[in-house]
Amino acid sequence: MRVLYITLNPNRQSTTVPTEGWFRLLRPRGLEPVLVSSQSGDFQAWVEGQGIPSYRTPLPFPNVRSPWPFLRSLLRLVRIGRRHQVQLVHCNEQDVYPIGQYAARLLGVPVVVSVHFTLPPGFSRWAFQGRRAPDLAFFLSRGSLEASRPGIDDVLPEGRRRLLYNGIDLERFR
């Protein structure tokens, strides 16, 4: 499966630890990742060293008063997705989800989001309500899922939530 991974984290720590595990362990099983990061760093360097296509582009939030930076980045994401014929968009953090869900919609592919922190109700309604809902939201710890419940219970159906442990031992948690 060809997956466009979008991340704000340029480092090989925190939110990219599970992503590195997925790349390392799932590529032999057919994962064809493409990485888009908002800045260069150790993670992007590691990805490039693995022969994985990698791009750097700003990943801004939508802004009604200044829409052009968001639209430029969105169009770049769509071009990258088309170039690599991606079949899924994976937003590595909830903060990058707003641009990722628009890219997925324009590409006509599903979108998933990895949730690494607590989702507050206001953000959840703004980012996930109605047509903006992800096909799946991966919570990387039970604590994060439970802490986010007040923010997502009325917005994201249970069937679209998954607990997916943080990628350290994918053999054990298939």
Side-chain angles (χ1 to χ4, degrees), residues 26 50 63 78 89-90 97-98 147:
L26 296 178
Q50 300 298 306
N63 183 334
V78 170
V89 172
H90 185 141
Y97 180 76

Side-chain angles (χ1 to χ4, degrees), residues 56-111:
R56 188 171 95 47
T57 193
L59 299 167
F61 258 54
N63 183 334
V64 174
R65 294 178 189 183
S66 179
W68 300 116
F70 179 83
L71 292 173
R72 271 192 300 274
S73 293
L74 176 60
L75 291 176
R76 179 150 163 76
L77 282 175
V78 170
R79 279 194 304 272
I80 291 167
R82 286 188 178 138
R83 179 180 309 134
H84 292 280
Q85 300 175 325
V86 299
Q87 299 166 292
L88 176 76
V89 172
H90 185 141
C91 301
N92 195 44
E93 301 94 12
Q94 64 269 17
D95 293 344
V96 79
Y97 180 76
I99 197 167
Q101 65 96 13
Y102 282 113
R105 190 178 306 165
L106 291 171
L107 290 165
V109 300
V111 62

Side-chain angles (χ1 to χ4, degrees), residues 58-172:
L59 299 167
F61 258 54
N63 183 334
V64 174
R65 294 178 189 183
S66 179
W68 300 116
F70 179 83
L71 292 173
R72 271 192 300 274
S73 293
L74 176 60
L75 291 176
R76 179 150 163 76
L77 282 175
V78 170
R79 279 194 304 272
I80 291 167
R82 286 188 178 138
R83 179 180 309 134
H84 292 280
Q85 300 175 325
V86 299
Q87 299 166 292
L88 176 76
V89 172
H90 185 141
C91 301
N92 195 44
E93 301 94 12
Q94 64 269 17
D95 293 344
V96 79
Y97 180 76
I99 197 167
Q101 65 96 13
Y102 282 113
R105 190 178 306 165
L106 291 171
L107 290 165
V109 300
V111 62
V112 298
V113 60
S114 294
V115 179
H116 295 268
F117 304 103
T118 302
L119 290 172
F123 178 84
S124 296
R125 278 190 303 280
W126 174 76
F128 300 146
Q129 198 157 32
R131 287 179 19 139
R132 294 183 305 270
D135 291 277
L136 281 175
F138 294 122
F139 290 84
L140 301 183
S141 73
R142 186 164 304 285
S144 177
L145 173 59
E146 295 305 321
S148 294
R149 279 195 190 280
I152 61 172
D153 274 345
D154 294 338
V155 178
L156 194 60
E158 284 280 341
R160 292 191 179 195
R161 307 176 204 173
R162 295 286 187 282
L163 182 58
L164 183 66
Y165 292 96
N166 99 9
I168 300 301
D169 183 358
L170 295 178
E171 290 297 319
R172 182 169 172 218

Side-chain angles (χ1 to χ4, degrees), residues 18-50:
T19 310
E20 183 175 327
W22 299 332
F23 286 10
R24 211 171 14 83
L25 296 171
L26 296 178
R27 282 181 70 210
R29 297 180 180 173
L31 176 67
E32 297 177 38
V34 176
L35 178 73
V36 174
S37 182
S38 60
Q39 50 188 312
S40 297
D42 291 341
F43 182 63
Q44 190 172 25
W46 177 82
V47 165
E48 290 169 355
Q50 300 298 306

